[in-house]
mmCIF file of all heavy atoms in Angstrom:
data_model
loop_
_atom_site.group_PDB
_atom_site.id
_atom_site.type_symbol
_atom_site.label_atom_id
_atom_site.label_comp_id
_atom_site.label_asym_id
_atom_site.label_seq_id
_atom_site.Cartn_x
_atom_site.Cartn_y
_atom_site.Cartn_z
ATOM 1 N N LEU A 100 -12.910 -119.720 -76.549
ATOM 2 C CA LEU A 100 -13.096 -119.663 -75.102
ATOM 3 C C LEU A 100 -12.801 -118.258 -74.597
ATOM 4 O O LEU A 100 -11.743 -117.696 -74.896
ATOM 5 C CB LEU A 100 -12.152 -120.661 -74.426
ATOM 6 C CG LEU A 100 -12.297 -120.834 -72.916
ATOM 7 C CD1 LEU A 100 -13.517 -121.711 -72.597
ATOM 8 C CD2 LEU A 100 -11.024 -121.456 -72.318
ATOM 9 N N LEU A 101 -13.729 -117.694 -73.805
ATOM 10 C CA LEU A 101 -13.548 -116.351 -73.257
ATOM 11 C C LEU A 101 -13.676 -116.357 -71.734
ATOM 12 O O LEU A 101 -14.666 -116.855 -71.189
ATOM 13 C CB LEU A 101 -14.604 -115.389 -73.800
ATOM 14 C CG LEU A 101 -14.663 -115.093 -75.288
ATOM 15 C CD1 LEU A 101 -15.664 -113.975 -75.545
ATOM 16 C CD2 LEU A 101 -13.301 -114.730 -75.840
ATOM 17 N N ALA A 102 -12.678 -115.775 -71.066
ATOM 18 C CA ALA A 102 -12.780 -115.495 -69.637
ATOM 19 C C ALA A 102 -13.388 -114.109 -69.497
ATOM 20 O O ALA A 102 -12.689 -113.092 -69.449
ATOM 21 C CB ALA A 102 -11.404 -115.566 -68.976
ATOM 22 N N ILE A 103 -14.722 -114.068 -69.449
ATOM 23 C CA ILE A 103 -15.453 -112.805 -69.460
ATOM 24 C C ILE A 103 -16.716 -112.977 -68.643
ATOM 25 O O ILE A 103 -17.305 -114.068 -68.600
ATOM 26 C CB ILE A 103 -15.774 -112.397 -70.923
ATOM 27 C CG1 ILE A 103 -16.193 -110.944 -71.025
ATOM 28 C CG2 ILE A 103 -16.811 -113.330 -71.536
ATOM 29 C CD1 ILE A 103 -16.233 -110.428 -72.469
ATOM 30 N N GLY A 104 -17.149 -111.909 -67.976
ATOM 31 C CA GLY A 104 -18.294 -112.020 -67.072
ATOM 32 C C GLY A 104 -19.586 -112.364 -67.765
ATOM 33 O O GLY A 104 -20.381 -113.157 -67.268
ATOM 34 N N THR A 105 -19.823 -111.752 -68.923
ATOM 35 C CA THR A 105 -20.994 -112.098 -69.723
ATOM 36 C C THR A 105 -20.706 -111.706 -71.164
ATOM 37 O O THR A 105 -19.774 -110.951 -71.444
ATOM 38 C CB THR A 105 -22.269 -111.412 -69.204
ATOM 39 O OG1 THR A 105 -23.415 -112.004 -69.816
ATOM 40 C CG2 THR A 105 -22.265 -109.918 -69.453
ATOM 41 N N GLY A 106 -21.506 -112.212 -72.086
ATOM 42 C CA GLY A 106 -21.225 -112.009 -73.493
ATOM 43 C C GLY A 106 -21.439 -110.570 -73.933
ATOM 44 O O GLY A 106 -22.489 -109.986 -73.652
ATOM 45 N N PRO A 107 -20.481 -109.971 -74.645
ATOM 46 C CA PRO A 107 -20.625 -108.589 -75.084
ATOM 47 C C PRO A 107 -21.474 -108.410 -76.334
ATOM 48 O O PRO A 107 -21.982 -107.317 -76.593
ATOM 49 C CB PRO A 107 -19.173 -108.163 -75.358
ATOM 50 C CG PRO A 107 -18.480 -109.426 -75.742
ATOM 51 C CD PRO A 107 -19.139 -110.518 -74.944
ATOM 52 N N VAL A 108 -21.624 -109.485 -77.109
ATOM 53 C CA VAL A 108 -22.276 -109.388 -78.412
ATOM 54 C C VAL A 108 -23.672 -109.990 -78.350
ATOM 55 O O VAL A 108 -23.879 -111.039 -77.732
ATOM 56 C CB VAL A 108 -21.428 -110.111 -79.485
ATOM 57 C CG1 VAL A 108 -22.118 -110.077 -80.846
ATOM 58 C CG2 VAL A 108 -20.045 -109.478 -79.577
ATOM 59 N N ASP A 109 -24.618 -109.335 -78.977
ATOM 60 C CA ASP A 109 -26.000 -109.822 -78.972
ATOM 61 C C ASP A 109 -26.116 -111.086 -79.815
ATOM 62 O O ASP A 109 -25.359 -111.298 -80.756
ATOM 63 C CB ASP A 109 -26.925 -108.742 -79.532
ATOM 64 C CG ASP A 109 -28.377 -108.957 -79.125
ATOM 65 O OD1 ASP A 109 -28.623 -109.827 -78.266
ATOM 66 O OD2 ASP A 109 -29.252 -108.243 -79.648
ATOM 67 N N GLY A 110 -27.084 -111.933 -79.451
ATOM 68 C CA GLY A 110 -27.316 -113.164 -80.203
ATOM 69 C C GLY A 110 -28.384 -113.995 -79.525
ATOM 70 O O GLY A 110 -28.899 -113.629 -78.459
ATOM 71 N N PRO A 111 -28.770 -115.132 -80.121
ATOM 72 C CA PRO A 111 -29.774 -116.008 -79.507
ATOM 73 C C PRO A 111 -29.333 -116.473 -78.124
ATOM 74 O O PRO A 111 -28.138 -116.670 -77.869
ATOM 75 C CB PRO A 111 -29.859 -117.180 -80.485
ATOM 76 C CG PRO A 111 -29.291 -116.668 -81.769
ATOM 77 C CD PRO A 111 -28.256 -115.666 -81.395
ATOM 78 N N VAL A 112 -30.293 -116.664 -77.221
ATOM 79 C CA VAL A 112 -29.998 -117.139 -75.865
ATOM 80 C C VAL A 112 -29.768 -118.643 -75.908
ATOM 81 O O VAL A 112 -30.665 -119.402 -76.289
ATOM 82 C CB VAL A 112 -31.150 -116.811 -74.902
ATOM 83 C CG1 VAL A 112 -30.856 -117.383 -73.513
ATOM 84 C CG2 VAL A 112 -31.364 -115.303 -74.826
ATOM 85 N N PRO A 113 -28.571 -119.108 -75.541
ATOM 86 C CA PRO A 113 -28.302 -120.547 -75.555
ATOM 87 C C PRO A 113 -29.168 -121.265 -74.515
ATOM 88 O O PRO A 113 -29.458 -120.724 -73.448
ATOM 89 C CB PRO A 113 -26.814 -120.636 -75.191
ATOM 90 C CG PRO A 113 -26.256 -119.284 -75.507
ATOM 91 C CD PRO A 113 -27.369 -118.333 -75.199
ATOM 92 N N PRO A 114 -29.586 -122.488 -74.807
ATOM 93 C CA PRO A 114 -30.425 -123.221 -73.858
ATOM 94 C C PRO A 114 -29.655 -123.619 -72.613
ATOM 95 O O PRO A 114 -28.422 -123.624 -72.583
ATOM 96 C CB PRO A 114 -30.867 -124.450 -74.647
ATOM 97 C CG PRO A 114 -29.847 -124.607 -75.729
ATOM 98 C CD PRO A 114 -29.365 -123.233 -76.059
ATOM 99 N N VAL A 115 -30.422 -123.955 -71.575
ATOM 100 C CA VAL A 115 -29.855 -124.445 -70.320
ATOM 101 C C VAL A 115 -29.425 -125.900 -70.509
ATOM 102 O O VAL A 115 -30.045 -126.651 -71.284
ATOM 103 C CB VAL A 115 -30.895 -124.318 -69.190
ATOM 104 C CG1 VAL A 115 -30.433 -124.998 -67.910
ATOM 105 C CG2 VAL A 115 -31.197 -122.841 -68.931
ATOM 106 N N VAL A 116 -28.361 -126.293 -69.833
ATOM 107 C CA VAL A 116 -27.890 -127.678 -69.883
ATOM 108 C C VAL A 116 -28.999 -128.620 -69.419
ATOM 109 O O VAL A 116 -29.712 -128.328 -68.445
ATOM 110 C CB VAL A 116 -26.624 -127.847 -69.014
ATOM 111 C CG1 VAL A 116 -26.271 -129.319 -68.831
ATOM 112 C CG2 VAL A 116 -25.454 -127.095 -69.640
ATOM 113 N N ASP A 117 -29.176 -129.732 -70.107
ATOM 114 C CA ASP A 117 -30.225 -130.705 -69.787
ATOM 115 C C ASP A 117 -29.813 -131.500 -68.549
ATOM 116 O O ASP A 117 -29.061 -132.482 -68.637
ATOM 117 C CB ASP A 117 -30.450 -131.642 -70.975
ATOM 118 C CG ASP A 117 -31.619 -132.579 -70.755
ATOM 119 O OD1 ASP A 117 -32.374 -132.363 -69.789
ATOM 120 O OD2 ASP A 117 -31.763 -133.536 -71.529
ATOM 121 N N LYS A 118 -30.302 -131.057 -67.402
ATOM 122 C CA LYS A 118 -29.955 -131.659 -66.123
ATOM 123 C C LYS A 118 -31.154 -131.496 -65.202
ATOM 124 O O LYS A 118 -31.745 -130.408 -65.151
ATOM 125 C CB LYS A 118 -28.719 -130.949 -65.557
ATOM 126 C CG LYS A 118 -28.131 -131.540 -64.309
ATOM 127 C CD LYS A 118 -26.859 -130.759 -63.925
ATOM 128 C CE LYS A 118 -26.252 -131.286 -62.635
ATOM 129 N NZ LYS A 118 -25.025 -130.524 -62.258
ATOM 130 N N PRO A 119 -31.583 -132.551 -64.477
ATOM 131 C CA PRO A 119 -32.806 -132.454 -63.679
ATOM 132 C C PRO A 119 -32.827 -131.260 -62.734
ATOM 133 O O PRO A 119 -33.862 -130.581 -62.608
ATOM 134 C CB PRO A 119 -32.822 -133.778 -62.908
ATOM 135 C CG PRO A 119 -32.092 -134.728 -63.800
ATOM 136 C CD PRO A 119 -31.020 -133.917 -64.459
ATOM 137 N N ARG A 120 -31.712 -130.980 -62.067
ATOM 138 C CA ARG A 120 -31.685 -129.854 -61.130
ATOM 139 C C ARG A 120 -31.886 -128.529 -61.858
ATOM 140 O O ARG A 120 -32.633 -127.661 -61.386
ATOM 141 C CB ARG A 120 -30.360 -129.834 -60.365
ATOM 142 C CG ARG A 120 -30.250 -128.705 -59.328
ATOM 143 C CD ARG A 120 -29.001 -128.885 -58.487
ATOM 144 N NE ARG A 120 -28.868 -127.826 -57.507
ATOM 145 C CZ ARG A 120 -28.207 -126.689 -57.723
ATOM 146 N NH1 ARG A 120 -27.623 -126.474 -58.903
ATOM 147 N NH2 ARG A 120 -28.128 -125.779 -56.776
ATOM 148 N N PHE A 121 -31.250 -128.370 -63.007
ATOM 149 C CA PHE A 121 -31.416 -127.132 -63.765
ATOM 150 C C PHE A 121 -32.842 -127.020 -64.301
ATOM 151 O O PHE A 121 -33.414 -125.924 -64.358
ATOM 152 C CB PHE A 121 -30.408 -127.075 -64.918
ATOM 153 C CG PHE A 121 -28.973 -126.945 -64.477
ATOM 154 C CD1 PHE A 121 -27.938 -127.208 -65.364
ATOM 155 C CD2 PHE A 121 -28.648 -126.569 -63.182
ATOM 156 C CE1 PHE A 121 -26.614 -127.084 -64.974
ATOM 157 C CE2 PHE A 121 -27.327 -126.439 -62.774
ATOM 158 C CZ PHE A 121 -26.302 -126.704 -63.676
ATOM 159 N N ASP A 122 -33.408 -128.146 -64.708
ATOM 160 C CA ASP A 122 -34.798 -128.130 -65.170
ATOM 161 C C ASP A 122 -35.730 -127.647 -64.062
ATOM 162 O O ASP A 122 -36.653 -126.862 -64.303
ATOM 163 C CB ASP A 122 -35.222 -129.529 -65.625
ATOM 164 C CG ASP A 122 -34.513 -129.983 -66.892
ATOM 165 O OD1 ASP A 122 -33.955 -129.125 -67.601
ATOM 166 O OD2 ASP A 122 -34.498 -131.202 -67.155
ATOM 167 N N GLU A 123 -35.470 -128.113 -62.847
ATOM 168 C CA GLU A 123 -36.306 -127.698 -61.715
ATOM 169 C C GLU A 123 -36.120 -126.218 -61.411
ATOM 170 O O GLU A 123 -37.081 -125.522 -61.072
ATOM 171 C CB GLU A 123 -35.967 -128.552 -60.483
ATOM 172 C CG GLU A 123 -36.947 -128.363 -59.338
ATOM 173 C CD GLU A 123 -36.679 -129.304 -58.176
ATOM 174 O OE1 GLU A 123 -35.801 -130.181 -58.303
ATOM 175 O OE2 GLU A 123 -37.359 -129.152 -57.133
ATOM 176 N N MET A 124 -34.884 -125.728 -61.539
ATOM 177 C CA MET A 124 -34.633 -124.300 -61.321
ATOM 178 C C MET A 124 -35.400 -123.454 -62.324
ATOM 179 O O MET A 124 -36.007 -122.436 -61.968
ATOM 180 C CB MET A 124 -33.126 -124.012 -61.417
ATOM 181 C CG MET A 124 -32.325 -124.545 -60.248
ATOM 182 S SD MET A 124 -30.529 -124.425 -60.487
ATOM 183 C CE MET A 124 -30.288 -122.648 -60.481
ATOM 184 N N ILE A 125 -35.394 -123.876 -63.582
ATOM 185 C CA ILE A 125 -36.106 -123.122 -64.615
ATOM 186 C C ILE A 125 -37.611 -123.178 -64.378
ATOM 187 O O ILE A 125 -38.332 -122.184 -64.537
ATOM 188 C CB ILE A 125 -35.760 -123.657 -66.012
ATOM 189 C CG1 ILE A 125 -34.303 -123.345 -66.354
ATOM 190 C CG2 ILE A 125 -36.686 -123.066 -67.066
ATOM 191 C CD1 ILE A 125 -33.988 -121.873 -66.416
ATOM 192 N N GLU A 126 -38.106 -124.338 -63.961
ATOM 193 C CA GLU A 126 -39.544 -124.478 -63.711
ATOM 194 C C GLU A 126 -39.999 -123.529 -62.604
ATOM 195 O O GLU A 126 -41.063 -122.916 -62.705
ATOM 196 C CB GLU A 126 -39.864 -125.922 -63.335
ATOM 197 C CG GLU A 126 -41.353 -126.169 -63.110
ATOM 198 C CD GLU A 126 -41.656 -127.628 -62.776
ATOM 199 O OE1 GLU A 126 -40.722 -128.453 -62.807
ATOM 200 O OE2 GLU A 126 -42.827 -127.915 -62.478
ATOM 201 N N ARG A 127 -39.185 -123.404 -61.546
ATOM 202 C CA ARG A 127 -39.595 -122.544 -60.430
ATOM 203 C C ARG A 127 -39.299 -121.074 -60.684
ATOM 204 O O ARG A 127 -40.140 -120.211 -60.413
ATOM 205 C CB ARG A 127 -38.889 -122.969 -59.140
ATOM 206 C CG ARG A 127 -39.263 -122.079 -57.949
ATOM 207 C CD ARG A 127 -38.645 -122.518 -56.652
ATOM 208 N NE ARG A 127 -39.081 -123.854 -56.267
ATOM 209 C CZ ARG A 127 -38.717 -124.438 -55.125
ATOM 210 N NH1 ARG A 127 -37.912 -123.803 -54.275
ATOM 211 N NH2 ARG A 127 -39.137 -125.658 -54.833
ATOM 212 N N PHE A 128 -38.102 -120.764 -61.166
ATOM 213 C CA PHE A 128 -37.670 -119.367 -61.234
ATOM 214 C C PHE A 128 -37.745 -118.777 -62.637
ATOM 215 O O PHE A 128 -37.575 -117.566 -62.789
ATOM 216 C CB PHE A 128 -36.227 -119.244 -60.717
ATOM 217 C CG PHE A 128 -36.041 -119.713 -59.304
ATOM 218 C CD1 PHE A 128 -35.472 -120.956 -59.050
ATOM 219 C CD2 PHE A 128 -36.454 -118.935 -58.232
ATOM 220 C CE1 PHE A 128 -35.300 -121.405 -57.749
ATOM 221 C CE2 PHE A 128 -36.287 -119.367 -56.933
ATOM 222 C CZ PHE A 128 -35.710 -120.610 -56.682
ATOM 223 N N ARG A 129 -37.990 -119.613 -63.646
ATOM 224 C CA ARG A 129 -37.899 -119.232 -65.048
ATOM 225 C C ARG A 129 -36.445 -118.844 -65.345
ATOM 226 O O ARG A 129 -35.569 -118.989 -64.504
ATOM 227 C CB ARG A 129 -38.868 -118.103 -65.411
ATOM 228 C CG ARG A 129 -40.294 -118.302 -64.899
ATOM 229 C CD ARG A 129 -40.883 -119.661 -65.225
ATOM 230 N NE ARG A 129 -41.101 -119.883 -66.656
ATOM 231 C CZ ARG A 129 -41.505 -121.043 -67.164
ATOM 232 N NH1 ARG A 129 -41.730 -122.088 -66.362
ATOM 233 N NH2 ARG A 129 -41.682 -121.163 -68.463
#
Side-chain angles (χ1 to χ4, degrees):
L100 185 77
L101 297 188
I103 195 168
T105 193
V108 178
D109 200 10
V112 177
V115 172
V116 169
D117 186 11
K118 186 177 178 180
R120 181 172 180 269
F121 293 164
D122 292 343
E123 190 175 354
M124 289 171 67
I125 292 298
E126 182 178 355
R127 179 177 298 183
F128 301 102
R129 313 310 294 174

